[in-house]
Amino acid sequence: MPAAFSQQALDAQAVAERTFICYHMAGGRKDAHPEADVCTSPACCSAYVAQEDAAARWGDKAEEYETKVQQAVRDTDGQIILYDGSPILAAFHSSSAGVTADSGDVWSSSLPYLHSVETPEGEDSVPNYYSVSTFSPEEFREIFLAAHGDADLSGDPAEWFRDRTVNDSGRVERVTIGGVSVEGTEVRRLFSLRSACFTVDTGEEGVAFRVTGFGHGVGMSQYGAELLARQGKTWQEIIHWYYADVTIGAYKE
Ligand SMILES: [Zn+2]
């Protein structure tokens, strides 16, 4: 979350991150790293930036932003998000297209506190809210056939795509490409799209994905949290907005 964001949004982010760590302390990611509860790989656990690297990135705002981040930790000292008394998997993402994603649409199982909810961000409030990823027919074939060698990607790219279905949150559920049915989340991963909320344009020049939002879409939207904070919502209200039927309290082992 950009440190330029409002204090209440930063506070909500601090609670989500603290909860994420407690969730892994309770459940453990011992398969990935037996010696540690969490690691600093964004692909595995959570991104981490050292204080001096953050300061270098923030430039003349470093002191102001460092103070805000420390304030977020102090404001929420020891507080985490609980469901049935246990720390939740406090997923968060950058921005959504009107509604967040249901966890079951993105992951193999649905979690009771990670449902699709409305979120206020849009084109005017999020940089690169709309993005386009373009691939030549050759590039597209190379990427898709590496994953699905049985697909038929001969002929005109306009013929490759069929049966695109969209789930309740507006993200692509499935699409048939060259005769192979794949999930929208897989298309996102294969082509490094910013989200699974996309439409496809095809022509002789290739395939263009038109994408809205950024991230998997589950849990708290960071840009949504910022807008809610600017509307006057507290960090507790922001947490309850994005995570269903949860309580906020201290972590007990
Ligand atoms: Zn890890």
Side-chain angles (χ1 to χ4, degrees):
M1 175 179 281
F5 277 13
S6 306
Q7 191 64 53
Q8 294 296 318
L10 292 170
D11 289 4
Q13 177 68 68
V15 175
E17 182 59 30
R18 184 182 297 112
T19 305
F20 184 89
I21 292 168
C22 291
Y23 176 86
H24 286 305
M25 287 169 70
R29 274 211 168 158
K30 305 293 188 235
D31 48 338
H33 27 67
E35 303 300 317
D37 292 313
V38 290
C39 75
T40 55
S41 161
C44 178
C45 291
S46 206
Y48 175 80
V49 181
Q51 190 173 3
E52 58 269 28
D53 296 336
R57 189 191 294 176
W58 289 333
D60 57 7
K61 294 273 191 187
E63 203 177 313
E64 177 194 335
Y65 288 171
E66 177 68 27
T67 302
K68 287 172 74 180
V69 170
Q70 291 199 15
Q71 186 68 43
V73 175
R74 270 199 303 274
D75 284 348
T76 62
D77 186 25
Q79 299 295 293
I80 65 166
I81 311 163
L82 303 158
Y83 182 87
D84 247 355
S86 299
I88 70 165
L89 178 56
F92 51 86
H93 63 283
S94 181
S95 62
S96 273
V99 282
T100 66
D102 189 283
S103 50
D105 288 337
V106 177
W107 299 323
S108 51
S109 63
S110 184
L111 292 166
Y113 46 84
L114 290 175
H115 294 306
S116 180
V117 298
E118 287 186 14
T119 187
E121 69 276 24
E123 185 180 5
D124 297 338
S125 51
V126 183
N128 305 311
Y129 186 62
Y130 298 118
S131 58
V132 182
S133 295
T134 308
F135 298 86
S136 70
E138 296 71 33
E139 289 169 335
F140 189 91
R141 273 193 209 99
E142 189 180 331
I143 293 168
F144 196 75
L145 291 175
H148 297 282
D150 50 340
D152 175 10
L153 297 179
S154 55
D156 186 343
E159 305 295 317
W160 297 351
F161 293 85
R162 294 256 186 276
D163 306 326
R164 174 177 163 281
T165 58
V166 171
N167 61 35
D168 291 340
S169 78
R171 292 164 177 85
V172 174
E173 193 165 64
R174 302 196 75 85
V175 59
T176 298
I177 303 176
V180 178
S181 175
V182 290
E183 293 188 346
T185 48
E186 186 188 350
V187 177
R188 178 188 179 217
R189 184 170 49 77
L190 287 176
F191 294 95
S192 302
L193 306 180
R194 282 167 61 85
S195 85
C197 183
F198 61 84
T199 59
V200 188
D201 284 344
T202 51
E204 283 179 9
E205 67 282 7
V207 176
F209 293 101
R210 298 186 186 283
V211 185
T212 307
F214 184 29
H216 50 57
V218 181
M220 183 177 74
S221 157
Q222 294 172 319
Y223 277 88
E226 167 63 1
L227 289 179
L228 294 174
R230 282 195 226 156
Q231 290 169 14
K233 295 214 170 0
T234 64
W235 65 262
Q236 292 94 336
E237 289 171 322
I238 295 169
I239 294 291
H240 286 297
W241 182 285
Y242 289 107
Y243 304 104
D245 302 322
V246 296
T247 58
I248 297 168
Y251 177 56
K252 295 185 195 69
E253 282 194 72

